[in-house]
């Protein structure tokens, strides 16, 4: 991205901005460890996460 951040498309990994801001894994996930890892990694301001749960 022009601001130096990396764009990430979240898909089903995280459903809301609140999950990222408060580092809360998605509660209704099939794999809680993957959800936790996604939130921990991509809540970092170096990333711009685009939410797009279908």
């Amino acid at each position: 991205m022009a601001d130096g951040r990396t764009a990430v498309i979240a898909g089903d990994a995280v459903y809301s901005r609140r999950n990222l801001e408060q580092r809360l894994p998605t509660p209704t996930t099939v794999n809680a460890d993957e959800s936790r890892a996604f939130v921990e990694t991509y809540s970092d301001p170096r990333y711009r996460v685009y939410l797009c749960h279908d």
Side-chain angles (χ1 to χ4, degrees):
M1 297 182 68
D3 62 4
R5 295 187 294 170
T6 300
V8 176
I9 298 173
D12 288 339
V14 67
Y15 297 163
S16 74
R17 184 78 39 213
R18 178 178 170 260
N19 289 96
L20 288 172
E21 292 169 351
Q22 296 182 7
R23 294 186 177 196
L24 300 170
T26 301
T28 57
T29 186
V30 172
N31 189 323
D33 291 334
E34 284 183 5
S35 180
R36 190 175 303 104
F38 184 93
V39 169
E40 287 299 317
T41 300
Y42 297 109
S43 61
D44 187 299
R46 293 178 294 169
Y47 300 100
R48 170 59 173 112
V49 178
Y50 291 92
L51 304 175
C52 60
H53 175 67
D54 56 359

